[in-house]
Amino acid sequence: MGLSSALNTALYGLAFNQRQLDVTAANIASADTVGYTKKSIQASVAYGRNGQVIGVVSDQITRSLDENAQREYRTSSADMSYLDLMKSYASRVDALIGTLSDPGSLNKVMAQFVSDLSALTTSPEDYTVRLQVMQSAKAVASELNSATSAVQQMRQEAENQIGDTVGRINELIRSVSDINKEIVTQKAGYQSTADLEDQRDRYLDELSGLIDINVREDPNGAVRLYTTGGMSLLDVYPSELRFDGRATVTAEAQWSEDPAQRKTGTITLVTPGGSTIDLIANKGLHSGRLGALVDMRDNYLVEVQDQLDEIASQLSQALSSHNVAGTDAGATPPQQGQNLDMAALQKGNKVTLTYKDAATGEDRTITFIRVDDPSQLPLDNSQTADPNDTVYGIDFSGGYASAAAQMQAALGGTGFTVTDTGSVFSFVDDGGTTSTLSGVTGTYTATGLADEGTPALPVFTDGLAGQPYTGALEGRDQKVGYAGRISVNPALIDDISRLVVYDSAAPTETGDPTRALHLLNALTQTSRQYDSKAGIGTESAPFNGTVVDYLSEVVSRQSAKSANVNSMHAGQKVVTNNLKSRVDDSSAVNMDEELARLIQLQNAYTSNARVMTVIRELFDVLMNA
């Protein structure tokens, strides 16, 4: 090797050593910087014109990173963020519903109400006991009101946070898009993009916690972003998420695919070309903080509210409803018939007709519900909790004759004849040819405090104006949000003697326990069916039990759900932390290694410098010879 070749080799070595020193120094300086990945230089051999090796040159700076672990970590991070938020809200709901031992909890105040009713059965004449019943009834209503307020406040929080999260997602997508452009430009100029890739990864890691994403890298160094459902967030140009948030969220405010019916905000993905996709309608959110917020607002908390409304509804109806059995209609045998007076039938009240089908021998049930708003018709079978009945809505606004005609049309080929004489309806079968009548029963709501022929009492009403609670469907389903409006009947507050006195014509004795026993048994002995839409029981097997049983089941279910979310969160945390450790270990700077490398590089630099010194001395000798 000639002196010139040796000099070139030393120069190449010095240049490469300097680049290595710069990278190593940067590794050491940035070792504690979050998101920094260990860097190294790829080297290649440099050849002279005659093909001889003359040294090494530095190529691109590369990052040390386990990309497979990084992909898995981002997926796990989305699930972790989802469960983080779910855990937070589930814990709040669990604390809100409480347990029997929690002072002031719904279960506790209901137990006190039942206890005070029990005391009233033994001391109906005691004014102090009556006052205590009223106070405990007010406590039950107040607890349902405050629970509803808390649930809707949480839904409002979720609504507001959806807007904030959507805004941050858009910022991150735009930031990734901007860095993409820089990376593509620098790669085209053969410049290092390692630091830019670190910065982009920090954005992507944050983004993966907000919305579930798939990241795909192009050969030019840019990345494309998609949701796990395949919807494009960033291609060549970024898409944009839009959210039409609402200032007020109430129990009646729920999301709907129909914009005219929608009362909470929806999330729309707008592509660079102007196309729009409703991410909620298309189920485009699977995890991440955004998915959890939507799930909490539209599902989890709505179910909690449904359960509160079901408690309030069943509580009111258990105390105020009474059944009236049909009487013999005097039909000519073998026909059977019954009469039922519907003068007391309120909007939302039911008439149940049972019969045996001659063709199949099966017992069948038909439920008629009074609905005076034709826009609500027809009703489907889910309007009752009974999985075995067929439901028809009957519009009474046109009078009794019109209502009877509607019932006749609904019964169709069952062989029944329906007629009316004023408010009295007659139901007569065809003598067993098609069907055999088993019975007709009306379930009516007592709206007055006395003289309705029943000890049933409307202890609770809808709103401060004292509107009876009947489960009416006019305008809206009265049950929706009822837990937030339930209150003790103002008329009963004014006259608490009606906790005992239910008949003025034959005056009830002040010590008569009949009404108190009826109210107590309605809550603790009478089994009822509950709407499975509230998440307890199923359509085919609804929950059956007393009002007290149902409340206990709600408390138990919410506690179990919170425990389940906590368990899932703990498991996901282990997985996410392990993946994070794998990513960090693959990219972390080892200070001992870097310091050792620094010493090696300094020695190499010194060696190359010494070679150049020797060559200079040799050149001096040659020049002076």
Side-chain angles (χ1 to χ4, degrees):
M1 175 184 293
L3 291 179
S4 295
S5 297
L7 181 61
N8 283 335
T9 300
L11 286 172
Y12 276 113
L14 280 174
F16 184 62
N17 285 155
Q18 185 60 56
R19 290 293 305 277
Q20 287 181 306
L21 283 167
D22 290 342
V23 170
T24 302
N27 284 341
I28 293 172
S30 303
D32 295 329
T33 301
V34 176
Y36 181 83
T37 58
K38 177 183 174 182
K39 309 295 190 304
S40 59
I41 297 179
Q42 291 181 332
S44 59
V45 178
Y47 297 94
R49 291 181 180 179
N50 59 2
Q52 288 183 318
V53 175
I54 59 175
V56 294
V57 295
S58 58
D59 291 333
Q60 289 292 321
I61 296 176
T62 61
R63 303 188 302 160
S64 176
L65 182 66
D66 186 337
E67 294 182 351
N68 289 329
Q70 185 186 57
R71 281 192 294 270
E72 292 177 14
Y73 166 71
R74 285 174 179 160
T75 299
S76 185
S77 177
D79 294 338
M80 188 73 241
S81 294
Y82 180 95
L83 289 171
D84 271 338
L85 189 133
M86 293 294 287
K87 177 188 175 185
S88 172
Y89 276 85
S91 297
R92 291 168 66 183
V93 169
D94 189 32
L96 175 68
I97 300 299
T99 66
L100 185 59
S101 60
D102 294 334
S105 69
L106 183 55
N107 216 343
K108 188 73 171 179
V109 296
M110 181 66 81
Q112 185 61 54
F113 181 45
V114 170
S115 176
D116 291 337
L117 281 175
S118 180
L120 186 63
T121 64
T122 59
S123 304
E125 73 289 346
D126 192 323
Y127 183 79
T128 303
V129 174
R130 296 177 185 178
L131 277 178
Q132 187 57 46
V133 170
M134 295 302 298
Q135 291 303 316
S136 57
K138 289 178 183 178
V140 171
S142 176
E143 187 62 28
L144 286 167
N145 294 163
S146 62
T148 294
S149 178
V151 169
Q152 297 314 313
Q153 182 180 350
M154 283 188 270
R155 292 186 69 221
Q156 183 70 65
E157 288 176 12
E159 178 87 352
N160 296 340
Q161 289 178 42
I162 289 172
D164 294 341
T165 304
V166 163
R168 183 56 181 160
I169 288 172
N170 286 330
E171 290 176 4
L172 291 169
I173 292 174
R174 287 193 295 267
S175 295
V176 172
S177 177
D178 292 341
I179 292 178
N180 271 349
K181 295 173 185 176
E182 293 185 52
I183 289 175
V184 170
T185 301
Q186 293 196 20
K187 275 188 176 292
Y190 300 100
Q191 300 178 55
S192 172
T193 62
D195 289 336
L196 285 173
E197 290 174 46
D198 280 353
Q199 184 180 357
R200 185 175 64 186
D201 277 351
R202 288 194 289 272
Y203 290 139
L204 291 174
D205 287 345
E206 182 183 352
L207 185 62
S208 69
L210 301 180
I211 185 171
D212 48 304
I213 58 171
N214 279 332
V215 182
R216 302 177 189 174
E217 186 169 356
D218 289 340
N220 63 3
V223 296
R224 299 172 188 256
L225 304 180
Y226 303 87
T227 68
T228 53
M231 298 176 187
S232 176
L233 298 174
L234 172 62
D235 201 309
V236 177
Y237 300 101
S239 297
E240 181 183 11
L241 299 185
R242 294 177 184 173
F243 178 65
D244 57 337
R246 309 303 163 91
T248 303
V249 175
T250 64
E252 291 80 8
Q254 297 189 20
W255 186 88
S256 170
E257 289 191 29
D258 182 357
Q261 301 293 325
R262 186 185 305 143
K263 295 183 179 179
T264 58
T266 199
I267 302 170
T268 305
L269 177 67
V270 183
T271 67
S275 300
T276 60
I277 303 170
D278 190 318
L279 290 182
I280 299 179
N282 287 278
K283 296 179 173 54
L285 301 170
H286 299 96
S287 61
R289 179 178 176 83
L290 186 59
L293 287 168
V294 172
D295 197 9
M296 188 57 62
R297 183 198 66 179
D298 295 343
N299 298 308
Y300 196 111
L301 292 174
V302 169
E303 182 178 276
V304 174
Q305 184 62 55
D306 287 344
Q307 290 171 2
L308 293 172
D309 290 340
E310 187 71 4
I311 292 168
S313 172
Q314 295 282 357
L315 172 63
S316 295
Q317 291 183 326
L319 299 175
S320 64
S321 295
H322 59 105
N323 293 329
V324 177
T327 58
D328 185 14
T332 302
Q335 290 181 302
Q336 298 186 44
Q338 290 192 3
N339 293 334
L340 186 65
D341 190 342
M342 300 194 188
L345 192 72
Q346 306 287 323
K347 298 173 184 177
N349 285 175
K350 303 175 179 65
V351 173
T352 304
L353 182 148
T354 56
Y355 68 95
K356 184 177 291 294
D357 188 318
T360 63
E362 296 179 347
D363 293 324
R364 300 191 181 279
T365 301
I366 291 178
T367 300
F368 298 110
I369 300 178
R370 177 170 177 171
V371 181
D372 291 0
D373 180 2
S375 68
Q376 301 293 327
L377 302 176
L379 302 182
D380 59 41
N381 292 342
S382 66
Q383 287 297 328
T384 70
D386 187 347
N388 300 313
D389 69 344
T390 302
V391 177
Y392 296 100
I394 304 298
D395 180 8
F396 276 72
S397 63
Y400 291 125
S402 172
Q406 293 173 59
M407 290 182 181
Q408 179 70 72
L411 290 170
T414 60
F416 279 96
T417 301
V418 183
T419 58
D420 71 288
T421 304
S423 63
V424 178
F425 284 46
S426 295
F427 299 85
V428 180
D429 63 27
D430 59 4
T433 302
T434 307
S435 58
T436 301
L437 179 66
S438 301
V440 179
T441 304
T443 301
Y444 303 154
T445 300
T447 57
L449 302 184
D451 303 328
E452 296 196 20
T454 173
L457 176 67
V459 176
F460 299 100
T461 54
D462 188 345
L464 298 178
Q467 178 184 355
Y469 180 79
T470 62
L473 300 173
E474 274 62 25
R476 58 171 173 75
D477 188 338
Q478 190 181 16
K479 183 167 68 174
V480 176
Y482 177 53
R485 306 187 308 271
I486 187 173
S487 62
V488 175
N489 191 335
L492 185 59
I493 294 174
D494 292 338
D495 185 4
I496 64 173
S497 69
R498 295 304 180 179
L499 284 170
V500 177
V501 179
Y502 63 93
D503 192 345
S504 300
T508 307
E509 297 290 337
T510 58
D512 189 339
T514 302
R515 173 164 269 181
L517 281 169
H518 174 85
L519 299 179
L520 178 64
N521 290 338
L523 297 182
T524 62
Q525 301 297 323
T526 303
S527 184
R528 305 173 65 84
Q529 284 187 328
Y530 298 82
D531 191 347
S532 62
K533 286 186 290 187
I536 295 179
T538 64
E539 288 187 17
S540 59
F543 182 83
N544 286 274
T546 66
V547 175
V548 173
D549 292 337
Y550 184 77
L551 175 55
S552 297
E553 186 68 15
V554 168
V555 172
S556 176
R557 289 292 183 90
Q558 290 302 331
S559 178
K561 286 180 71 173
S562 178
N564 185 50
V565 170
N566 286 341
S567 176
M568 292 172 63
H569 180 272
Q572 188 64 44
K573 186 175 182 178
V574 171
V575 173
T576 304
N577 287 344
N578 286 341
L579 288 169
K580 178 62 173 171
S581 294
R582 282 177 56 191
V583 175
D584 290 345
D585 289 346
S586 71
S587 62
V589 175
N590 185 309
M591 291 295 291
D592 291 339
E593 290 181 359
E594 295 301 314
L595 289 172
R597 184 183 300 277
L598 189 60
I599 294 172
Q600 292 175 350
L601 292 173
Q602 287 173 337
N603 291 334
Y605 191 92
T606 300
S607 298
N608 281 312
R610 178 60 182 159
V611 169
M612 292 184 66
T613 300
V614 171
I615 292 173
R616 186 187 66 181
E617 292 173 351
L618 290 174
F619 269 118
D620 288 343
V621 171
L622 289 173
M623 295 295 293
N624 294 326

